[in-house]
Amino acid sequence: MTKLSVNINKIATIRNARGGNVPNVVKAAQDIQAFGADGITVHPRPDERHIRYADVVDLRPVVTTEFNIEGYPSDKFMELVISVKPTQVTLVPDAPDAITSNAGWDTVRHFDFLQDIVGRLSEAGIRTSIFVDPDKTMVEQAAKIGADRIELYTEPYAANYAANHEKAIAPFVEAANEAKKLGLSVNAGHDLNLENLGFFCEKIPFVKEVSIGHHLISDALYFGLEETVKRYKALCK
């Protein structure tokens, strides 16, 4: 069964809009786990506009499932994750001012850089995942870099899902199969939602983990957080 990791960045965004500590991201993480999620994901950015670096430290003791920290591997980010030692670090190529992740790594161009980063994380006992587009060459190079997993950037799948399910999923199936052949485990994330998640997991049943934040938290405004986690979890089976 595919694991559901809930990205709580948007909860931090709401908190930061007013200051103070409402909603409390640590309590939210505890509740989300109690509601059945298999993991908690955070993506601290340099401007700390949602999850703050201090939040990551506060979350570490209460995340009893898998803790996944996403981010660009700047010196500050690397110091944080090596200190916190999450279950997994997902490397993303975001520029400092990026609103959200919008592309995977060019694992050919950045091979040496990523190989050094992955090596440092592996030495610290942290599982590594590289965020990539559904491109066989990018997947092949991720395997050569030494990553444990890839995370497929699924925005193109979500954008094209309504028009043609099969066409939308095809490059992701190909990339996932290539990863599996090379010994890489597969994660996925970005714009997966209640409409398209089930089909994705059906077509790529060996996906280890999906990381979902924006749509899940948005759906929780209507269904409540507990019910929403349960709905997403059910689609992962």
Side-chain angles (χ1 to χ4, degrees):
M1 184 176 70
T2 301
K3 290 183 176 182
L4 171 65
S5 185
V6 177
N7 187 319
I8 60 172
N9 277 21
K10 286 298 185 295
I11 294 173
T13 300
I14 297 170
R15 176 200 62 188
N16 294 352
R18 284 285 299 269
N21 199 31
V22 178
N24 185 310
V25 296
V26 172
K27 178 65 163 57
Q30 291 174 307
D31 289 340
I32 287 166
Q33 291 174 113
F35 297 154
D38 305 295
I40 297 296
T41 292
V42 294
H43 187 151
R45 286 189 163 87
D47 60 7
E48 298 187 297
R49 64 179 178 272
H50 34 61
I51 286 292
R52 299 167 181 154
Y53 276 56
D55 292 329
V56 177
V57 175
D58 292 342
L59 284 163
R60 174 68 280 190
V62 305
V63 178
T64 56
T65 55
E66 294 202 353
F67 194 17
N68 174 45
I69 303 179
E70 301 177 343
Y72 179 84
S74 65
D75 290 343
K76 184 179 179 182
F77 179 86
M78 291 295 289
E79 289 174 8
L80 175 71
V81 296
I82 288 174
S83 171
V84 169
K85 286 187 169 55
T87 315
Q88 175 177 270
V89 167
T90 300
L91 303 171
V92 297
D94 286 357
D97 59 348
I99 295 174
T100 186
S101 303
N102 56 17
W105 283 97
D106 182 335
T107 52
V108 176
R109 180 179 177 186
H110 299 288
F111 184 94
D112 291 340
F113 173 69
L114 289 170
Q115 189 174 53
D116 175 65
I117 294 295
V118 166
R120 290 168 61 190
L121 293 170
S122 296
E123 286 178 8
I126 301 168
R127 187 174 74 218
T128 57
S129 180
I130 298 179
F131 195 63
V132 295
D133 297 317
D135 179 287
K136 288 180 68 175
T137 299
M138 298 301 112
V139 173
E140 289 167 359
Q141 295 304 303
K144 291 178 181 178
I145 284 166
D148 300 299
R149 298 186 180 187
I150 56 165
E151 178 174 329
L152 292 172
Y153 168 53
T154 51
E155 192 276 334
Y157 163 73
N160 296 307
Y161 176 81
N164 188 320
H165 299 5
E166 295 291 347
K167 186 176 180 180
I169 196 69
F172 293 88
V173 171
E174 183 179 11
N177 284 333
E178 181 68 14
K180 186 178 181 182
K181 183 178 74 175
L182 295 170
L184 284 169
S185 295
V186 179
N187 296 339
H190 203 90
D191 280 355
L192 295 173
N193 58 34
L194 290 174
E195 181 182 0
N196 60 42
L197 175 60
F199 185 74
F200 190 91
C201 291
E202 175 190 339
K203 291 296 184 179
I204 314 176
F206 54 87
V207 167
K208 292 287 188 181
E209 173 188 291
V210 289
S211 175
I212 304 176
H214 180 81
H215 284 280
L216 189 151
I217 300 304
S218 296
D219 287 332
L221 296 175
Y222 294 92
F223 304 129
L225 190 54
E226 181 173 6
E227 175 63 20
T228 301
V229 170
K230 289 179 178 178
R231 291 189 184 200
Y232 275 86
K233 179 77 174 173
L235 292 172
C236 292
K237 295 182 179 178

